[in-house]
Amino acid sequence: MPLTDTRLRALKPKDKPYKVTDERGLYVEVTPTGGKLWRFRYRIGGAQKKLCIGSYPEISLKQARDVAYEARRAVASTPQARAVTSGHQSLIPVEKDLREGAVADPPEKDFGEFEPDM
């Protein structure tokens, strides 16, 4: 269930930090001191990563969702994310393929002297 502003204000600190999810990787982490921190969780290359957005109420729910949306678009446009084809479970980092020589350079061709027609 997506978060609401009322539910965010009602979150109380506990002995240990805990997370309350919103949607699509966005969540708020409530610290034992009462801080409410926005986080966005995503994966690249099979590794889980976390983006720290800011604290509530300085960053509103709408602002946090907007930042998470832009971050999701940025992650999707990375070369690692584009290398994924449907049906595969894990991402294959493009840099790793290049280092290991899995992606070959196109053969060099000599076209001689080329003059464009004008």
Side-chain angles (χ1 to χ4, degrees), residues 63-95:
Q63 289 171 323
R65 284 179 177 161
D66 291 343
V67 170
Y69 174 76
E70 291 301 321
R72 195 174 310 108
R73 288 184 63 210
V75 168
S77 68
T78 62
Q80 293 89 349
R82 287 193 306 253
V84 176
T85 59
S86 62
H88 287 83
Q89 294 295 327
S90 64
L91 297 173
I92 301 170
V94 173
E95 293 85 2

Tab-separated table of all heavy atoms in Angstrom, residues 63-95:
chain	number	residue	atom	x	y	z
A	63	GLN	N	7.834	15.013	-3.678
A	63	GLN	CA	9.196	15.272	-4.143
A	63	GLN	C	10.020	13.984	-4.146
A	63	GLN	O	10.780	13.736	-5.083
A	63	GLN	CB	9.878	16.304	-3.245
A	63	GLN	CG	9.332	17.700	-3.400
A	63	GLN	CD	9.887	18.638	-2.349
A	63	GLN	OE1	10.078	18.254	-1.199
A	63	GLN	NE2	10.124	19.886	-2.743
A	64	ALA	N	9.876	13.170	-3.119
A	64	ALA	CA	10.616	11.905	-3.041
A	64	ALA	C	10.197	10.974	-4.178
A	64	ALA	O	11.041	10.317	-4.789
A	64	ALA	CB	10.389	11.228	-1.692
A	65	ARG	N	8.908	10.939	-4.488
A	65	ARG	CA	8.437	10.106	-5.602
A	65	ARG	C	8.984	10.614	-6.925
A	65	ARG	O	9.363	9.830	-7.798
A	65	ARG	CB	6.914	10.067	-5.634
A	65	ARG	CG	6.327	9.170	-4.568
A	65	ARG	CD	4.822	9.169	-4.610
A	65	ARG	NE	4.282	8.247	-3.626
A	65	ARG	CZ	3.045	8.293	-3.186
A	65	ARG	NH1	2.200	9.208	-3.637
A	65	ARG	NH2	2.629	7.416	-2.287
A	66	ASP	N	9.047	11.932	-7.097
A	66	ASP	CA	9.596	12.502	-8.333
A	66	ASP	C	11.076	12.162	-8.489
A	66	ASP	O	11.530	11.798	-9.576
A	66	ASP	CB	9.396	14.023	-8.357
A	66	ASP	CG	7.943	14.432	-8.515
A	66	ASP	OD1	7.117	13.573	-8.925
A	66	ASP	OD2	7.628	15.600	-8.223
A	67	VAL	N	11.835	12.268	-7.402
A	67	VAL	CA	13.261	11.939	-7.449
A	67	VAL	C	13.441	10.459	-7.757
A	67	VAL	O	14.290	10.071	-8.569
A	67	VAL	CB	13.962	12.317	-6.127
A	67	VAL	CG1	15.363	11.755	-6.067
A	67	VAL	CG2	13.981	13.818	-5.958
A	68	ALA	N	12.634	9.603	-7.128
A	68	ALA	CA	12.719	8.160	-7.374
A	68	ALA	C	12.369	7.838	-8.824
A	68	ALA	O	13.006	6.981	-9.448
A	68	ALA	CB	11.802	7.401	-6.422
A	69	TYR	N	11.384	8.535	-9.383
A	69	TYR	CA	11.007	8.321	-10.789
A	69	TYR	C	12.168	8.675	-11.712
A	69	TYR	O	12.505	7.913	-12.626
A	69	TYR	CB	9.770	9.160	-11.124
A	69	TYR	CG	9.391	9.109	-12.583
A	69	TYR	CD1	8.755	7.994	-13.115
A	69	TYR	CD2	9.697	10.172	-13.436
A	69	TYR	CE1	8.420	7.947	-14.458
A	69	TYR	CE2	9.366	10.124	-14.772
A	69	TYR	CZ	8.727	9.014	-15.277
A	69	TYR	OH	8.409	8.961	-16.609
A	70	GLU	N	12.799	9.830	-11.477
A	70	GLU	CA	13.938	10.240	-12.302
A	70	GLU	C	15.116	9.281	-12.134
A	70	GLU	O	15.802	8.958	-13.101
A	70	GLU	CB	14.361	11.669	-11.959
A	70	GLU	CG	13.355	12.719	-12.387
A	70	GLU	CD	13.094	12.709	-13.882
A	70	GLU	OE1	14.043	12.516	-14.667
A	70	GLU	OE2	11.931	12.903	-14.270
A	71	ALA	N	15.349	8.820	-10.915
A	71	ALA	CA	16.434	7.863	-10.674
A	71	ALA	C	16.151	6.541	-11.387
A	71	ALA	O	17.052	5.926	-11.952
A	71	ALA	CB	16.607	7.628	-9.176
A	72	ARG	N	14.894	6.110	-11.380
A	72	ARG	CA	14.520	4.866	-12.065
A	72	ARG	C	14.770	4.997	-13.564
A	72	ARG	O	15.270	4.074	-14.203
A	72	ARG	CB	13.046	4.564	-11.791
A	72	ARG	CG	12.617	3.183	-12.129
A	72	ARG	CD	11.175	2.861	-11.717
A	72	ARG	NE	10.879	3.211	-10.345
A	72	ARG	CZ	10.102	4.239	-9.974
A	72	ARG	NH1	9.530	5.016	-10.871
A	72	ARG	NH2	9.890	4.494	-8.705
A	73	ARG	N	14.446	6.164	-14.131
A	73	ARG	CA	14.698	6.397	-15.557
A	73	ARG	C	16.196	6.398	-15.848
A	73	ARG	O	16.640	5.859	-16.863
A	73	ARG	CB	14.083	7.720	-15.999
A	73	ARG	CG	12.571	7.663	-16.060
A	73	ARG	CD	11.974	8.937	-16.593
A	73	ARG	NE	12.414	9.129	-17.967
A	73	ARG	CZ	12.572	10.314	-18.537
A	73	ARG	NH1	12.332	11.410	-17.851
A	73	ARG	NH2	12.969	10.417	-19.785
A	74	ALA	N	16.985	7.011	-14.959
A	74	ALA	CA	18.432	7.060	-15.153
A	74	ALA	C	19.039	5.668	-15.076
A	74	ALA	O	19.915	5.316	-15.876
A	74	ALA	CB	19.071	7.976	-14.107
A	75	VAL	N	18.574	4.866	-14.135
A	75	VAL	CA	19.082	3.496	-14.004
A	75	VAL	C	18.726	2.688	-15.246
A	75	VAL	O	19.542	1.928	-15.763
A	75	VAL	CB	18.515	2.826	-12.727
A	75	VAL	CG1	18.781	1.335	-12.726
A	75	VAL	CG2	19.112	3.469	-11.490
A	76	ALA	N	17.518	2.871	-15.752
A	76	ALA	CA	17.084	2.117	-16.928
A	76	ALA	C	17.862	2.499	-18.178
A	76	ALA	O	17.970	1.704	-19.112
A	76	ALA	CB	15.597	2.333	-17.170
A	77	SER	N	18.432	3.704	-18.200
A	77	SER	CA	19.158	4.150	-19.392
A	77	SER	C	20.651	3.822	-19.327
A	77	SER	O	21.377	4.152	-20.260
A	77	SER	CB	18.967	5.647	-19.591
A	77	SER	OG	19.620	6.358	-18.574
A	78	THR	N	21.116	3.180	-18.258
A	78	THR	CA	22.531	2.821	-18.162
A	78	THR	C	22.844	1.694	-19.126
A	78	THR	O	21.983	0.899	-19.469
A	78	THR	CB	22.917	2.384	-16.737
A	78	THR	OG1	22.165	1.219	-16.415
A	78	THR	CG2	22.678	3.477	-15.729
A	79	PRO	N	24.084	1.596	-19.591
A	79	PRO	CA	24.451	0.502	-20.500
A	79	PRO	C	24.210	-0.868	-19.883
A	79	PRO	O	23.820	-1.801	-20.575
A	79	PRO	CB	25.940	0.718	-20.755
A	79	PRO	CG	26.198	2.144	-20.440
A	79	PRO	CD	25.196	2.520	-19.385
A	80	GLN	N	24.404	-1.000	-18.578
A	80	GLN	CA	24.189	-2.293	-17.937
A	80	GLN	C	22.726	-2.697	-18.026
A	80	GLN	O	22.407	-3.849	-18.268
A	80	GLN	CB	24.614	-2.261	-16.455
A	80	GLN	CG	26.074	-2.088	-16.251
A	80	GLN	CD	26.482	-0.620	-16.179
A	80	GLN	OE1	25.709	0.270	-16.476
A	80	GLN	NE2	27.719	-0.385	-15.802
A	81	ALA	N	21.824	-1.758	-17.836
A	81	ALA	CA	20.402	-2.075	-17.893
A	81	ALA	C	19.962	-2.356	-19.322
A	81	ALA	O	19.114	-3.217	-19.562
A	81	ALA	CB	19.581	-0.928	-17.307
A	82	ARG	N	20.534	-1.649	-20.304
A	82	ARG	CA	20.157	-1.882	-21.692
A	82	ARG	C	20.674	-3.219	-22.200
A	82	ARG	O	20.139	-3.759	-23.158
A	82	ARG	CB	20.690	-0.754	-22.569
A	82	ARG	CG	19.935	0.537	-22.386
A	82	ARG	CD	20.289	1.518	-23.475
A	82	ARG	NE	21.709	1.729	-23.579
A	82	ARG	CZ	22.353	2.812	-23.193
A	82	ARG	NH1	21.681	3.798	-22.651
A	82	ARG	NH2	23.646	2.933	-23.332
A	83	ALA	N	21.714	-3.778	-21.559
A	83	ALA	CA	22.275	-5.044	-21.998
A	83	ALA	C	21.374	-6.226	-21.645
A	83	ALA	O	21.550	-7.315	-22.147
A	83	ALA	CB	23.659	-5.259	-21.381
A	84	VAL	N	20.395	-5.975	-20.796
A	84	VAL	CA	19.512	-7.053	-20.353
A	84	VAL	C	18.464	-7.314	-21.418
A	84	VAL	O	17.856	-6.406	-21.954
A	84	VAL	CB	18.816	-6.662	-19.035
A	84	VAL	CG1	17.835	-7.734	-18.620
A	84	VAL	CG2	19.842	-6.436	-17.964
A	85	THR	N	18.262	-8.564	-21.732
A	85	THR	CA	17.194	-8.938	-22.644
A	85	THR	C	16.101	-9.608	-21.842
A	85	THR	O	16.325	-10.087	-20.736
A	85	THR	CB	17.697	-9.898	-23.738
A	85	THR	OG1	18.228	-11.055	-23.089
A	85	THR	CG2	18.763	-9.249	-24.579
A	86	SER	N	14.915	-9.647	-22.382
A	86	SER	CA	13.811	-10.240	-21.639
A	86	SER	C	14.081	-11.715	-21.390
A	86	SER	O	14.655	-12.417	-22.214
A	86	SER	CB	12.511	-10.071	-22.420
A	86	SER	OG	12.612	-10.745	-23.649
A	87	GLY	N	13.665	-12.169	-20.227
A	87	GLY	CA	13.831	-13.567	-19.877
A	87	GLY	C	15.086	-13.862	-19.080
A	87	GLY	O	15.227	-14.933	-18.533
A	88	HIS	N	16.019	-12.935	-18.987
A	88	HIS	CA	17.228	-13.155	-18.205
A	88	HIS	C	17.010	-12.669	-16.778
A	88	HIS	O	16.360	-11.656	-16.556
A	88	HIS	CB	18.423	-12.423	-18.825
A	88	HIS	CG	18.910	-13.086	-20.070
A	88	HIS	ND1	18.316	-12.866	-21.284
A	88	HIS	CD2	19.894	-13.970	-20.275
A	88	HIS	CE1	18.946	-13.584	-22.204
A	88	HIS	NE2	19.908	-14.262	-21.612
A	89	GLN	N	17.575	-13.368	-15.837
A	89	GLN	CA	17.395	-13.027	-14.440
A	89	GLN	C	18.406	-12.014	-13.937
A	89	GLN	O	18.131	-11.271	-13.032
A	89	GLN	CB	17.489	-14.299	-13.575
A	89	GLN	CG	16.360	-15.272	-13.820
A	89	GLN	CD	15.025	-14.707	-13.399
A	89	GLN	OE1	14.939	-13.950	-12.456
A	89	GLN	NE2	13.971	-15.061	-14.114
A	90	SER	N	19.599	-11.990	-14.479
A	90	SER	CA	20.630	-11.107	-13.937
A	90	SER	C	21.156	-10.177	-15.020
A	90	SER	O	21.050	-10.447	-16.201
A	90	SER	CB	21.781	-11.921	-13.364
A	90	SER	OG	22.398	-12.651	-14.390
A	91	LEU	N	21.732	-9.080	-14.573
A	91	LEU	CA	22.335	-8.119	-15.488
A	91	LEU	C	23.788	-8.487	-15.716
A	91	LEU	O	24.479	-8.944	-14.823
A	91	LEU	CB	22.277	-6.715	-14.883
A	91	LEU	CG	20.887	-6.151	-14.651
A	91	LEU	CD1	20.993	-4.839	-13.896
A	91	LEU	CD2	20.168	-5.931	-15.947
A	92	ILE	N	24.278	-8.286	-16.922
A	92	ILE	CA	25.677	-8.541	-17.243
A	92	ILE	C	26.329	-7.192	-17.484
A	92	ILE	O	25.964	-6.501	-18.435
A	92	ILE	CB	25.815	-9.428	-18.490
A	92	ILE	CG1	25.111	-10.750	-18.258
A	92	ILE	CG2	27.271	-9.619	-18.857
A	92	ILE	CD1	24.975	-11.584	-19.502
A	93	PRO	N	27.249	-6.769	-16.626
A	93	PRO	CA	27.867	-5.462	-16.828
A	93	PRO	C	28.604	-5.384	-18.159
A	93	PRO	O	29.366	-6.277	-18.503
A	93	PRO	CB	28.852	-5.341	-15.666
A	93	PRO	CG	28.417	-6.364	-14.675
A	93	PRO	CD	27.731	-7.442	-15.452
A	94	VAL	N	28.352	-4.329	-18.903
A	94	VAL	CA	28.975	-4.158	-20.209
A	94	VAL	C	30.488	-4.018	-20.063
A	94	VAL	O	31.249	-4.553	-20.846
A	94	VAL	CB	28.369	-2.933	-20.918
A	94	VAL	CG1	29.119	-2.623	-22.191
A	94	VAL	CG2	26.908	-3.172	-21.217
A	95	GLU	N	30.944	-3.289	-19.024
A	95	GLU	CA	32.379	-3.091	-18.841
A	95	GLU	C	33.102	-4.424	-18.676
A	95	GLU	O	34.192	-4.615	-19.180
A	95	GLU	CB	32.667	-2.216	-17.614
A	95	GLU	CG	32.204	-0.793	-17.772
A	95	GLU	CD	30.741	-0.618	-17.395
A	95	GLU	OE1	30.095	-1.605	-16.981
A	95	GLU	OE2	30.231	0.495	-17.526
